[in-house]
Amino acid sequence: MSSDPPASSGRKPDASFAGFGRIVSAEDRRRWQEAMSRRAQDAFARGQAALQAGNTSLGLFWLERAERMSRHNPNLKWSVGLACLSAGRVSDCLMRMEELRQDFDLREAAFLEVICLVRLQRMEDAARRMQAALSHFHATPQTYPLAGQIASAAGRPGWMTASNTGTVFVETARTFRLFLDGQEHLQGAGSGTYDLPEDWRSARSLEIKVGRRHVLGSPLDIAALTRCESFVEAAANGLRGWIWTPAEPEYSPRILLWDGTTVWAEAFSEDVDSDIPLARTRAFHVPASRLPEKDMDLLELWDENGRLLTGAPVDPRVGQLVSGLTDTLPIGLRPTKVRAWKMRPHRPRASPGCAVVIPVYADLRRTMDCLRTVLSTCPVDVPVIVVDDATPEPLLARELDQLAEQGRIILIRHFRNCGFPISANDGMRAAEGRDILLLNSDTLVPAGWVERLRARLAFTDVGTVTPFSNDATILSYPAVDRPNPVPSLVEMRALDRLCQATFMHADAASRNVPDLPTAHGFCMAISAECLAEIGLFREDLFAQGYGEENDFCLRASAKGFRHVAAPDLFVAHVGSASFGTSRKSLGARNLKILNALHPGYDRLVQRFIEADPLHDTRRRLDIARLIRVARGRATMLMVQHDAGGGVGRVVRERSEAFEAEGGFALALRPHEQGCRVEDALDSKRFPNLKFRFPDELPLLLDVLRDVHVEAVEWHHLIGHAPCIRTLHERLGVPYDVFIHDHVWFCPRISLCDGEGRYCGEPDIARCEQCVTRWGGYLGEDISVSDLVARSGRELSSARRLMAPCEDTVRRIRRHFPGLTIEAVALEDDSALRKFIRTGRHSVSAQPLRVCVVGGISQWKGYDTLLALAAEIQTHRLPIELSLVGHTHDDDALMALGVRVTGEYREDEVQALICQQKPDVGLIPSIAPETWCYALGQIWRSGLEAVCFDLGAQGERVNRSGTGLAVPLGMPPFQLAMLLLRRWGDAR
């Protein structure tokens, strides 16, 4: 039941489990990720080849295997969705298309979603989704028949679709009228293509009405149809970039240059790093010969809607900077290496006053939520300066106007969108020499935020201050290495109170927070002196924004200013998606500029991340939250290894049962430097509870006492530091043991030698010979005799001993006589057996389909499966093998004709078994299992099971009265013939 060690290669192995003293390097992770990527790419290529050859079933098998290996790849999701539709799995296609539409606003997914709904005969839903699709996207001619069908079924007088070419196609048998923003512009006599008025792009809505009724697709959202995603950057040979119109990817956009001339983007880009599936970006290039020769200024490039391209305005000389051609550049573009600068004196300073600056663009709800929290918490002497960066939302503009009229904000309005750096600068200029609290419009602030930031600005050497947040890179909490949930207003206030209380009760040493390499612009306090000496954000380099605050901080560091954290303050941050698909390109471009201008910046940040000096601060917050969560409940500490598998499932299920009775369950896992503590039912809840041994063992004990651990339950000690074996003694509580495998007397855990043979559990002398020859997996230097002696002491001292089945109880008692061990079944076999359908056979003239389930290591029968596949192929037996799971060498099995699905989630396994259309299940384990969850999955799918007659698998199959438990060592050919005789074609 424990996760399996790797198959032996005949040499003495190292410890195979992650844990104390075993470091997994970044290089190890990189190699693993590359291997997974190669396997996914291979499966994708095989799937595409099978589809092209007309084998839809096989193609879908390979594509789904690739999808499971790269679960977050939207391109794979799209390909699998199409294959599902071809294979008649319409609901599976619909699920994927809905996700792609919601995540990426993908036109193709929107229309394919409609096709799925029609095939499922959900016509009302189809009409609703077609209305949404036609009102946002251009429909290609291939979609016309479907649109007509749905319009007729929905009782609409026709349908419409518009194009960025300035035309609208209408299909109706009656006279219609066309309106732009409610004003009638033309009448049409029936179906056809009509030209739109010249200024149609400046309108918001286009309507087509027959009488008073809208046709399907009306009203159309013009902004959605015309929206361009774009990007431009300076290169050594001019300007280059890309642009496309997601609502009409076949349209070739026109780019308007600074001098009134145009550039067409026609050829598709080949090197754009996009997360959007089916993105058809079109490349453009403005050669150096078309750039101004003298007095080179920032160059503006617009799309056809009059919007600046992302990355514009752009200084063409930046191309020389990032290319390393810096000799002829002006001083402002010359690189300055990052180094340890001399710090300013640390003395109290008197503040010249303070102002809040909030650049605003869109998102009425979030912006007003932000402003409400700001206006309710700002002292009366702190002005709130809002910079409206030409919002496209009239309702937001009106709300800002009202606040300005009421005197609650100072409003600065741009009449064209300028981007964050310019907006922030305009607001800071208006602050007239005050300290600045620069705030994103998608934040929520707590009471006292102004005072706490100003308190940290009150020293001459402090240039900037940044609080903690859910989304602030190096200042994120709880996790810094993955996204955190966005807290609600109530949750934000609770987190802020936690930060205050934790900081207030910390000792003096813990209050000394380290300097930061850079502030974060979501909420950034800047001293007036720093701003006056360093200057504003650079408007010539960072366009719409990303990296401007980093550049500012690096310039400030060079002048001796420090950047500090405010760990006693938490500000919620939704996180920006304002750059759309262009965000990744703009971020990469600006990071290149940042590193070219400040060589060593990347390494500066990387050193900070590696050192993680804020870890202790985050851990104190986690400890405080943990104590609050556990308050009033008895806590059980579940000690487990770090390999998941069956052990992880048992820990989860026992934790659920313990919490259902009012308790609280914690998990203790090994870590390369010590251990980590987790909520047993939510491993991401407290990501900072890592403790280094031996230095932080006392702290760990204090935390466990504070949460009132009343007992420890051992599930697996492999990978743990030795001190964990006596943790219960230090806590003064009892411990129970759940026996998951044979690690108590077998250093190889599985009772198999290095050639994959079940050992039969010989005496200790022969066990010593086996380990000497083949090695062990414990990760510690201990003889078999010492292991058995230690296990005897530990098992006999436990309050309670549990094992999953009677077979395991007997085996443990054989080695440790006199123990009282309770058999605790992990599933209800009587309920599972009700699923089994006996008497089934393979379909006439079809091969017998045999399905194996799980992660198949050597001791779980990999060699048996490989040999069985070879016999089937050699003798051309009418048997098809499938593995719903994975092995250490899937390729070898697949080369022999075995269908291997690859890794799966627990909630997918039944669907995957069903897809194989199996006739019987096979458990090929050649060593005694202690439970075998795979058997439960086979039974749950309605299949009888065949296994070798040993361990829990044999015990359970024999007790079920179904299937077969065959002698261990049965030759593979004999096993194949037995399967055919029992479950093959009955005729």
Side-chain angles (χ1 to χ4, degrees), residues 330-374:
I331 295 297
L333 289 176
R334 297 277 181 88
T336 302
K337 289 184 179 180
V338 173
R339 60 183 178 85
W341 303 98
K342 182 180 179 181
M343 293 291 102
R344 291 171 174 253
H346 179 76
R347 293 194 295 264
R349 63 179 280 268
S351 171
C354 176
V356 176
V357 174
I358 309 175
V360 166
Y361 176 64
D363 199 330
L364 170 66
R365 182 181 63 81
R366 284 178 179 162
T367 299
M368 295 310 298
D369 286 347
C370 171
L371 288 173
R372 275 189 285 271
T373 64
V374 170

Side-chain angles (χ1 to χ4, degrees), residues 438 511 554:
L438 181 62
R511 291 191 180 196
L554 291 167

Side-chain angles (χ1 to χ4, degrees), residues 328-632:
T328 60
L329 290 176
I331 295 297
L333 289 176
R334 297 277 181 88
T336 302
K337 289 184 179 180
V338 173
R339 60 183 178 85
W341 303 98
K342 182 180 179 181
M343 293 291 102
R344 291 171 174 253
H346 179 76
R347 293 194 295 264
R349 63 179 280 268
S351 171
C354 176
V356 176
V357 174
I358 309 175
V360 166
Y361 176 64
D363 199 330
L364 170 66
R365 182 181 63 81
R366 284 178 179 162
T367 299
M368 295 310 298
D369 286 347
C370 171
L371 288 173
R372 275 189 285 271
T373 64
V374 170
L375 294 173
S376 65
T377 56
C378 266
V380 293
D381 62 336
V382 176
V384 177
I385 302 169
V386 176
V387 183
D388 174 3
D389 193 22
T391 178
E393 300 180 14
L395 286 177
L396 177 55
R398 285 200 291 272
E399 291 283 353
L400 297 178
D401 286 338
Q402 285 184 357
L403 290 174
E405 290 168 5
Q406 295 165 4
R408 303 187 70 191
I409 66 171
I410 298 169
L411 181 60
I412 300 171
R413 175 158 286 144
H414 293 163
F415 292 98
R416 70 169 189 174
N417 183 252
C418 298
F420 185 86
I422 292 176
S423 299
N425 284 349
D426 285 348
M428 291 190 287
R429 288 188 191 97
E432 298 178 334
R434 295 179 176 91
D435 292 338
I436 299 296
L437 305 185
L438 181 62
L439 198 64
N440 278 14
S441 61
D442 59 353
T443 54
L444 300 173
V445 293
W449 71 285
V450 172
E451 292 82 353
R452 277 174 275 165
L453 286 175
R454 295 186 72 180
R456 292 187 179 276
L457 274 184
F459 298 95
T460 54
D461 59 336
V462 175
T464 71
V465 183
T466 310
F468 273 15
S469 175
N470 57 288
D471 182 7
T473 58
I474 58 176
L475 288 157
S476 293
Y477 177 79
V480 292
D481 57 353
R482 61 174 179 263
N484 294 303
V486 179
S488 66
L489 185 61
V490 171
E491 291 167 337
M492 178 274 293
R493 288 170 175 161
L495 284 166
D496 180 63
R497 289 193 296 271
L498 176 75
C499 287
Q500 287 188 78
T502 303
F503 186 79
M504 184 182 305
H505 294 102
D507 56 38
S510 299
R511 291 191 180 196
N512 292 324
V513 294
D515 287 1
L516 306 173
T518 176
H520 194 296
F522 85 101
C523 178
M524 177 180 176
I526 310 171
S527 76
E529 290 85 350
C530 181
L531 195 63
E533 186 166 344
I534 304 308
L536 300 170
F537 292 161
R538 293 195 65 163
E539 300 174 1
D540 58 333
L541 295 179
F542 300 106
Q544 287 73 24
Y546 183 92
E548 66 281 349
E549 78 268 35
N550 311 77
D551 167 74
F552 176 87
C553 289
L554 291 167
R555 289 186 282 131
S557 296
K559 296 291 186 179
F561 286 104
R562 297 168 56 218
H563 312 290
V564 300
D568 57 340
L569 173 61
F570 188 95
V571 172
H573 183 209
V574 173
S576 174
S578 58
F579 300 145
T581 56
S582 310
R583 185 181 187 187
K584 180 180 284 189
S585 293
L586 183 66
R589 184 202 81 164
N590 288 1
L591 188 59
K592 281 194 298 185
I593 294 172
L594 200 58
N595 276 291
L597 203 57
H598 305 280
Y601 166 72
D602 260 352
R603 184 60 193 140
L604 175 71
V605 174
Q606 189 58 39
R607 282 199 301 267
F608 185 90
I609 292 171
E610 290 169 357
D612 196 9
L614 289 172
H615 165 71
D616 289 351
T617 302
R618 295 194 308 273
R619 184 171 61 184
R620 285 197 300 275
L621 293 171
D622 268 6
I623 291 171
R625 282 198 300 132
L626 175 65
I627 291 171
R628 293 185 184 188
V629 168
R631 183 174 296 151

Side-chain angles (χ1 to χ4, degrees), residues 230-232 243 255 284 301-303 307-313 544:
S230 61
F231 171 69
V232 63
I243 188 170
I255 298 157
F284 67 87
L301 299 85
W302 299 272
D303 64 23
R307 303 183 186 113
L308 280 172
L309 302 193
T310 300
Q544 287 73 24

Side-chain angles (χ1 to χ4, degrees), residues 27-94:
E27 180 64 19
D28 292 334
R29 294 189 180 93
R30 184 190 63 78
R31 283 197 296 266
W32 180 83
Q33 290 169 349
E34 287 180 351
M36 288 295 293
S37 178
R38 284 193 300 271
R39 292 168 62 193
Q41 290 171 10
D42 176 66
F44 179 76
R46 294 191 190 197
Q48 294 290 71
L51 291 176
Q52 290 171 7
N55 192 333
T56 301
S57 175
L58 183 60
L60 185 52
F61 166 79
W62 283 110
L63 290 180
E64 287 189 297
R65 174 179 163 90
E67 185 185 34
R68 283 188 292 276
M69 292 177 179
S70 302
R71 291 191 180 274
H72 303 296
N73 188 318
N75 293 295
L76 277 172
K77 186 177 292 185
W78 168 259
S79 297
V80 174
L82 288 180
C84 285
L85 190 63
S86 297
R89 288 168 47 189
V90 182
S91 295
D92 290 336
C93 177
L94 176 62

Side-chain angles (χ1 to χ4, degrees), residues 112-190:
L112 201 58
E113 187 180 354
V114 177
I115 291 172
C116 292
L117 290 168
V118 170
R119 291 198 183 180
L120 293 169
Q121 299 184 349
R122 293 168 51 184
M123 294 306 294
E124 288 187 12
D125 291 334
R128 178 175 53 82
R129 289 305 323 151
M130 180 60 94
Q131 167 64 31
L134 290 174
S135 68
H136 283 76
F137 305 111
H138 170 71
T140 61
Q142 292 87 347
T143 311
Y144 289 6
L146 179 66
Q149 174 192 351
I150 292 176
S152 176
R156 294 291 190 99
W159 64 274
M160 61 158 286
T161 186
S163 169
N164 281 278
T165 59
T167 61
V168 60
F169 177 80
V170 184
E171 184 176 282
T172 181
R174 302 166 61 183
T175 300
F176 67 86
R177 293 177 297 160
L178 183 150
F179 299 84
L180 288 174
D181 288 346
Q183 298 294 314
E184 184 175 338
H185 279 263
L186 65 84
Q187 291 189 3

